[in-house]
Amino acid sequence: MTVQRPDIWQEETGPFDIIGDVHGCAKELEKLLEKLGYELKSRGPRGRRTTHVQHPENRKVILVGDLVDRGPASMDVLRMAMCGEIDGTIRCVIGNHDDKFLRWLKGRDVRVTKSLQTTIDEAEKEKPKFLDDVRHYLEHLPSHLILDKGRLIVAHAGLPQKYHGIESRASRVFAMYGETTGQTDDLGLPIRRDWARNYRGDATVVHGHVAEKKVRHVNNVWCLDTGCVYGHKLTALRWPEAEIVQVRAKCDWFPHPRFS
């Protein structure tokens, strides 16, 4: 499947369903989409499943990135996202885990963590043609999407107003990783700067990346990563309704101290 790069400027006004970090939780993603009213047509066994997604009211799915790693079915999630890109029903921005997997696919020198190894194990069972398609797809994902005529910004780790509409190294790094203080907390995890606390932009910014048990909504900024892969929930924000829809994880796929 060959996918053209989606333009970061989208004139589409929605309605949209924006979904937080999936991390290979394909079954939970399917369940959430069905709860949102989407019709799913799947073919093939698990690990080779191709799923087409369509909504009777022409709603579209926006994924905040981190499609892969940690969960049980990253390849199924990728297949769904790639099919949706071709069908015009799903858009996605790149997450830091997607980018790391992309660098592995390209033969770059990357540190293979336990998270990444789950995706590599799946990928090594795939045909080279499919992995070439995945590489092409991930290479062309934008750092962020501008939707609803500028009223809505979607980026994996969020994005301050100064970077809206800017495709530069700085904006891309921020969109994937956010900003940290250089220090770690008592769990050894990086302490992140709370850029949303000072956000005053007119556009609503929706992101994931920072897993918390509850949806965070501060200063017109929404964080939708509610730790599905850690056994918690997969979350969607309906736009423009500003309604939260969630499903519970099937199990704790990848234990995390904050969700224990």
Side-chain angles (χ1 to χ4, degrees):
M1 291 177 287
T2 300
V3 181
Q4 298 301 313
R5 178 190 184 280
D7 194 334
I8 62 171
W9 289 97
Q10 295 284 340
E11 288 300 313
E12 296 178 33
T13 57
F16 303 113
D17 295 299
I18 310 160
I19 297 178
D21 303 39
V22 179
H23 278 303
C25 297
K27 285 290 190 180
E28 288 89 340
L29 177 58
E30 291 175 3
K31 185 177 179 181
L32 180 57
L33 289 171
E34 288 172 346
K35 189 172 182 178
L36 289 164
Y38 287 84
E39 298 170 353
L40 277 58
K41 295 182 180 179
S42 298
R43 291 187 302 172
R46 183 176 177 179
R48 293 287 191 277
R49 180 178 294 145
T50 299
T51 302
H52 294 267
V53 174
Q54 190 168 17
H55 198 283
E57 297 174 4
N58 202 33
R59 299 183 71 91
K60 295 187 178 178
V61 178
I62 309 295
L63 300 172
V64 303
D66 275 6
L67 305 180
V68 304
D69 285 1
R70 300 175 178 163
S74 291
M75 298 302 108
D76 280 348
V77 175
L78 284 166
R79 282 186 168 88
M80 186 186 301
M82 292 162 67
C83 285
E85 191 75 54
I86 293 169
D87 295 341
T89 58
I90 299 178
R91 296 285 181 268
C92 185
V93 295
I94 192 148
N96 57 301
H97 285 264
D98 308 317
D99 182 66
K100 191 172 184 180
F101 179 49
L102 171 61
R103 285 183 278 130
W104 180 83
L105 285 171
K106 296 170 78 170
R108 303 279 178 81
D109 185 18
V110 297
R111 185 168 69 92
V112 178
T113 59
K114 184 179 178 182
S115 295
L116 178 59
Q117 189 64 55
T118 61
T119 308
I120 292 173
D121 289 345
E122 285 190 64
E124 288 179 337
K125 299 174 185 176
E126 295 289 344
K127 294 180 179 179
K129 174 63 169 63
F130 173 71
L131 295 180
D132 283 344
D133 290 341
V134 170
R135 178 185 53 77
H136 181 85
Y137 172 70
L138 295 178
E139 278 180 334
H140 291 81
L141 288 181
S143 65
H144 63 293
L145 288 167
I146 301 177
L147 302 162
D148 201 2
K149 299 182 179 179
R151 299 182 186 91
L152 175 63
I153 308 291
V154 178
H156 176 63
L159 206 64
Q161 188 172 18
K162 67 179 181 179
Y163 289 137
H164 295 179
I166 304 297
E167 274 285 0
S168 66
R169 176 173 173 76
S171 66
R172 194 169 183 86
V173 169
F174 196 107
M176 286 193 293
Y177 294 96
E179 187 178 24
T180 62
T181 64
Q183 300 174 314
T184 57
D185 62 16
D186 55 354
L187 296 174
L189 301 170
I191 297 175
R192 306 182 188 282
R193 295 190 189 279
D194 189 3
W195 64 273
R197 186 181 299 275
N198 298 314
Y199 180 73
R200 297 295 182 270
D202 293 329
T204 297
V205 179
V206 182
H207 68 96
H209 187 57
V210 182
E212 300 183 21
K213 290 185 177 180
K214 294 183 179 180
V215 173
R216 187 168 187 253
H217 184 203
V218 178
N219 290 338
N220 214 21
V221 177
W222 296 79
C223 179
L224 302 184
D225 186 356
T226 46
C228 181
V229 77
Y230 306 133
H232 200 53
K233 296 178 181 178
L234 185 61
T235 296
L237 172 69
R238 289 164 53 88
W239 178 273
E241 299 90 343
E243 296 173 0
I244 294 294
V245 180
Q246 296 178 312
V247 296
R248 287 197 170 274
K250 291 178 68 66
C251 70
D252 184 350
W253 298 108
F254 198 91
H256 189 289
R258 284 183 183 159
F259 289 82
S260 60

